[in-house]
Amino acid sequence: MEFKSAYLQGVYDTVCKRNSGEPEFLQAVKEVLESFEPVVAQKPELVEAGIIDRIVEPERFVQFRVSWVDDAGKVQVNRGYRVQFNSAIGPYKGGLRLHPSVNASIIKFLGFEQCFKNSLTGLPMGGGKGGSDFDPKGKSNGEIMRFCQSFMTELCRHIGPDTDVPAGDIGVGGREIGFMYGQYKRLRNEHTGVLTGKGLSYGGSLARKEATGYGLLYFTDEMIRCMKNESLKGKTVVISGSGNVAIYANEKATELGGKVVAMSDSNGYIYDPKGIDLAVVKQLKEVERARIKEYVNRVSGAEYHDGCRGIWTIPCDIALPCATQNELDADSAAVLIKNGVMAVAEGANMPSTPEAVAAFQKAGVLFGPAKAANAGGVATSGLEMCQNSMRYSWTFEEVDAKLKDIMINIFHNAFNASKEFGSEGNLVMGANIAGFMKIADAMLAYGVCY
Ligand code: NDP
């Protein structure tokens, strides 16, 4: 038995049977169900209404062919996905990932997590996720455009501003959203807030680009203030990744007084004991789309090491995994703990393995789980939807202030739920339960309609 509750064990066994061969999805479901032990004990009405049985099954899962023509005139075929996991509290909302590793398991794990994360923001958004196994690396602009147009030609049948509002994720930034939005507008002949992460000239929100990274730091700052009575000032920070989340996490960590000494990409990591020069990283990653290795040719005194896991051997006070799922395992967690890490907060989705999370919790390291700590991106996407509905734009400062409020509330909601359900300070449990309760309330109100 993996669960204390026979009911939860039964739910999990069914999920395993229905989704065999989908390890990431099963990992995500297991982690959430483990948090529900006290809910099942205290809220029998939710068990009776089958809320947990229903919440682990997506409302809809769409898989489709994406054909496009490469620069050599050859037809290429990829697989596209959209999972519409739960719409109890609002339209489905969640990003699109373009990466060769994308498959049904990854899309479902991300869509499942997204339901709780979106609920935690306090905004009316359900959970969804999508993407394709298309690899944007090394593709020309024209190839990216043709892929995105073909992808949207099918996806547009399933989405809409009041139905499902996708956004970016790994491999989908402003350029890809532009190509997809243009195609949606052309096919539907309408200008609506059907995607978020849009450019400012056609309905995007100020501060969306910065939101996940900034939000991660607002959350981390509040977590260490409330739980350790400390601040980011003077803290050494290690951030994995050098994409959208990592870059703006670095920017805000530095602004709050921390010193970021390491970043990475999927080939290796850089260590700069003086503190990373973020302008150089932005130039490399946002402008030149170059490898992080190039940093050492531009900044003296910095080191480059092949392989990304080594980044966790650098001593730090705060570790922020911002690259991808399962990038921080038990061995890396042990080294971080030995080196005296005080707090870990997840910028990426599920970057820490279950063994790593357990090790941090056992060692008393503050741990901010992804669905709370990185919710700033989707929260600001929610604010972009608000602005699109009003046909109005807020200033950067207005959006940033709302984002900060939302992140501070998320921390307190997760913390309070951990207290209420008997595990004070366990933010994994707190975030799962706080996110779940709002969805469960709405599902109870609807009766058994789907
Ligand atoms: P980007 O594509 O902008 O950047 C991803 C970064 O992670 C790159 O530096 C990439 O390196 C690195 N990376 C990717 N795969 C691996 C790997 N297997 N091992 C090591 N490094 C890897 O993505 P984002 O910054 O947008 O997303 C990062 C994470 O944050 C994802 O888990 C995403 O789901 C999550 N997230 C993103 C949000 C957003 O608003 N963007 C919102 C909430 C969560 P390389 O260039 O070499 O591939």
Side-chain angles (χ1 to χ4, degrees):
M1 284 277 281
E2 285 147 304
F3 294 87
K4 286 194 207 103
S5 147
Y7 166 68
L8 287 174
Q9 185 68 48
V11 173
Y12 185 62
D13 288 345
T14 305
V15 174
C16 289
K17 212 158 96 192
R18 284 205 180 121
N19 305 279
S20 61
E22 298 188 354
E24 294 85 1
F25 179 52
L26 297 179
Q27 179 183 339
V29 171
K30 186 163 183 236
E31 183 235 275
V32 168
L33 293 185
E34 278 167 357
S35 305
F36 289 170
E37 299 272 11
V39 176
V40 167
Q42 289 180 40
K43 309 256 176 206
E45 68 277 16
L46 299 183
V47 175
E48 210 166 292
I51 300 291
I52 300 175
D53 306 75
R54 284 189 269 160
I55 214 159
V56 294
E57 181 67 19
E59 289 173 16
R60 195 169 296 108
F61 181 82
V62 189
Q63 181 186 305
F64 50 96
R65 183 176 68 206
V66 187
S67 315
W68 55 282
V69 180
D70 68 17
D71 286 347
K74 188 168 180 304
V75 176
Q76 299 285 344
V77 178
N78 286 100
R79 186 172 273 188
Y81 302 91
R82 186 73 183 162
V83 65
Q84 298 182 327
F85 224 105
N86 194 298
S87 60
I89 62 168
Y92 309 103
K93 177 97 198 87
L96 298 170
R97 177 175 292 192
L98 299 183
H99 194 272
S101 65
V102 164
N103 56 32
S105 172
I106 291 196
I107 294 300
K108 279 158 69 180
F109 119 64
L110 290 164
F112 181 65
E113 295 263 298
Q114 197 78 46
C115 302
F116 305 97
K117 181 188 305 192
N118 293 3
S119 169
L120 275 173
T121 66
L123 299 171
M125 299 182 288
K129 199 82 189 188
S132 169
D133 59 1
F134 172 79
D135 186 358
K137 273 206 197 94
K139 301 290 191 300
S140 70
N141 241 347
E143 289 175 323
I144 300 274
M145 181 182 78
R146 291 192 293 278
F147 171 83
C148 288
Q149 289 175 338
S150 177
F151 182 78
M152 181 51 84
T153 302
E154 171 62 28
L155 187 70
C156 80
R157 298 170 205 268
H158 310 287
I159 62 176
D162 295 314
T163 308
D164 183 355
V165 183
D169 189 68
I170 291 179
V172 177
R175 173 181 61 170
E176 293 75 18
I177 291 288
F179 291 147
M180 290 186 199
Y181 189 78
Q183 181 73 351
Y184 182 90
K185 197 172 82 55
R186 179 180 178 200
L187 291 166
R188 287 293 174 89
N189 197 25
E190 59 182 37
H191 216 309
T192 51
V194 70
L195 295 177
T196 57
K198 300 186 290 299
L200 293 177
S201 58
Y202 62 96
S205 173
L206 285 162
R208 173 61 189 91
K209 186 174 70 173
E210 293 81 358
T212 309
Y214 278 23
L216 173 67
L217 269 297
Y218 293 141
F219 181 96
T220 306
D221 192 45
E222 190 68 6
M223 176 170 77
I224 58 181
R225 276 176 197 283
C226 293
M227 295 175 74
K228 281 262 197 268
N229 204 17
E230 292 217 34
S231 80
L232 270 149
K233 226 174 177 59
K235 299 286 184 298
T236 300
V237 184
V238 164
I239 301 179
S240 63
S242 49
N244 173 262
V245 179
I247 286 177
Y248 292 95
N250 181 327
E251 189 162 284
K252 187 54 78 177
T254 308
E255 204 181 300
L256 293 175
K259 181 161 86 162
V260 180
V261 295
M263 292 181 83
S264 61
D265 63 18
S266 55
N267 295 119
Y269 68 94
I270 50 167
Y271 171 56
D272 188 341
K274 301 184 302 303
I276 301 269
D277 183 337
L278 189 60
V280 174
V281 175
K282 280 188 180 177
Q283 172 66 25
L284 291 175
K285 290 294 174 181
E286 293 186 333
V287 182
E288 298 175 25
R289 295 176 193 269
R291 307 311 298 159
I292 200 76
K293 185 178 188 171
E294 183 56 26
Y295 182 90
V296 296
N297 297 328
R298 305 200 187 176
V299 179
S300 63
E303 298 167 15
Y304 173 77
H305 300 269
D306 271 329
C308 23
R309 281 182 197 243
I311 194 169
W312 306 121
T313 63
I314 297 170
C316 62
D317 303 305
I318 296 173
L320 304 174
C322 295
T324 195
Q325 63 272 357
N326 293 326
E327 55 164 311
L328 201 171
D329 61 11
D331 292 344
S332 302
V335 180
L336 281 166
I337 293 166
K338 185 167 91 17
N339 288 338
V341 73
M342 166 211 268
V344 177
E346 298 184 318
N349 284 314
M350 207 168 73
S352 318
T353 63
E355 296 76 23
V357 178
F360 291 134
Q361 289 177 327
K362 187 162 169 236
V365 174
L366 303 186
F367 182 75
K371 57 174 83 64
N374 75 20
V378 74
T380 308
S381 280
L383 299 176
E384 183 174 331
M385 289 166 73
C386 279
Q387 294 169 82
N388 292 160
S389 298
M390 293 190 294
R391 307 216 179 267
Y392 186 71
S393 305
W394 290 318
T395 63
F396 187 98
E397 291 70 26
E398 283 173 299
V399 178
D400 190 34
K402 290 181 203 304
L403 166 66
K404 187 170 178 185
D405 271 1
I406 290 172
M407 296 312 297
I408 289 175
N409 278 335
I410 289 176
F411 167 76
H412 287 285
N413 288 343
F415 185 75
N416 292 341
S418 74
K419 222 159 52 176
E420 186 187 334
F421 285 87
S423 285
E424 180 165 337
N426 180 344
L427 300 177
V428 174
M429 175 186 278
N432 286 339
I433 296 180
F436 168 70
M437 290 313 288
K438 183 175 169 192
I439 302 170
D441 268 6
M443 289 175 75
L444 271 181
Y446 299 148
V448 188
C449 58
Y450 59 94

